[in-house]
Amino acid sequence: MRASQFVLLKALLIFVTAFSYFSTSAQLQADFTATPQSGCAPLIVIFSDQSTGNPTSWKWDLGNGTITNNHNPSTTYFNPGVYKVKLTISDGSTTDSIIKISFITVYDKPLVDFSASDTSGCFPLNVNFTDNSTAGSGTIASWTWDFGDGNNDTLKNVTHTYITPGLFDITLIVINSFGCKSALTKSDLIK
């Protein structure tokens, strides 16, 4: 065997060894991310496949009843709760899967309610407004009252004086500690 043939054979052996190493190293490994992973209902989440090993098919169980074969799916979580997500990938001959427990967290919106001490009378009319809202998730972080006469307030419970006659819609907007927002308007509440 001549030296040039030996060098060629050695190079071929190195190539075959390297190819064998990389082909066995490219095994399937399922992985994914999601954006966002938490928020207020309804929460739209976009999933991104981060799997390695060149998968050719995907099966997602998004935890909210949605099963899909899309590569990078999206879904809406309508109900508050904590959701697990499962991804199964395949290359036609092997499969791999991953389950991420407590991966998506959906917070509940506040349930807004309020009462007024007096709803009718002669002006000037003093009315005490009482917040009866519940936070849903977390705690109530802020209140915004619209008294229907161009005046607002941000206290939990507030007294407002009406100095002109009319019918007034009252709106209360409540935001909880997770940023979830709800509003309630009672039309023509004050007369």
Side-chain angles (χ1 to χ4, degrees), residues 1-15:
M1 181 181 278
R2 294 186 349 217
S4 63
Q5 289 176 324
F6 180 73
V7 170
L8 184 59
L9 184 59
K10 187 175 177 181
L12 181 60
L13 184 59
I14 291 170
F15 174 77

Side-chain angles (χ1 to χ4, degrees), residues 138-158:
T139 59
I140 295 178
S142 71
W143 300 262
T144 303
W145 294 91
D146 181 340
F147 301 114
D149 63 354
N151 292 293
N152 300 300
D153 206 315
T154 57
L155 297 175
K156 177 180 179 178
N157 301 309
V158 64

